[in-house]
Amino acid sequence: NRANLLFNWAFDTSYYLYYKESAFEGQKLQDRIGIFARPRWKANNSFTFTFSNDHSVGATARTTGGTEKAYAAAGDLPLHNEFDLQYTYSAFFNGTVAVGAVNVLATKPPADESQNPTVNGSLYDTLGQNVYVKLTQSF
């Protein structure tokens, strides 16, 4: 019985050409890309290696582009990277068992000292490093 080896790469990105909104209701629309909490782009780069039909290992790099700080005169926030890992076993009972970690390196999102709270929860994951076990069953 010969083992199958598969390698998969996926690159998912979003890139805004413009994002017009008004700062306050009734004001004229302005392009707000790159300002506080509106990065021009985000990307996920995923690699999966499958071997012996039952086992796979995956790694994902999640990147958020830089933006201005809440108080623009305070400067910019740099782009931010986080890395995830997952091992999956396709079990004999028509299901899967996965063990993984989100934000393996426990990187902290860039802090914006010009606002309170200093990390924007709508833009960055504020939970930090997480380890999980996931069971999936198909009927």
Side-chain angles (χ1 to χ4, degrees):
N1 191 357
R2 201 170 77 171
N4 291 331
L5 299 175
L6 298 170
F7 179 76
N8 187 40
W9 171 60
F11 179 70
D12 299 314
T13 188
S14 61
Y15 184 89
Y16 285 95
L17 298 174
Y18 60 88
Y19 186 94
K20 292 189 177 187
E21 69 179 354
S22 60
F24 298 100
E25 191 171 330
Q27 291 185 338
K28 90 175 196 178
L29 296 176
Q30 298 174 341
D31 186 7
R32 300 183 54 86
I33 289 294
I35 67 164
F36 172 68
R38 290 169 186 81
R40 180 166 295 277
W41 62 275
K42 285 184 166 189
N44 290 338
N45 219 346
S46 300
F47 299 92
T48 306
F49 179 66
T50 302
F51 51 98
S52 76
N53 295 331
D54 295 332
H55 304 273
S56 66
V57 175
T60 300
R62 294 179 288 122
T63 305
T64 302
T67 66
E68 288 181 350
K69 292 184 177 180
Y71 178 64
D76 295 334
L77 294 173
L79 68 85
H80 176 66
N81 290 304
E82 291 184 1
F83 301 94
D84 306 337
L85 289 175
Q86 179 174 292
Y87 164 77
T88 304
Y89 171 66
S90 296
F92 60 88
F93 53 85
N94 200 25
T96 61
V97 177
V99 176
V102 176
N103 194 3
V104 173
L105 301 176
T107 56
K108 295 182 180 175
D112 183 352
E113 65 282 346
S114 74
Q115 71 164 347
N116 189 14
T118 59
V119 174
N120 186 335
S122 67
L123 186 57
Y124 303 108
D125 178 12
T126 57
L127 294 177
Q129 185 181 54
N130 289 300
V131 176
Y132 62 89
V133 175
K134 179 171 90 171
L135 303 171
T136 305
Q137 176 64 56
S138 297
F139 296 98

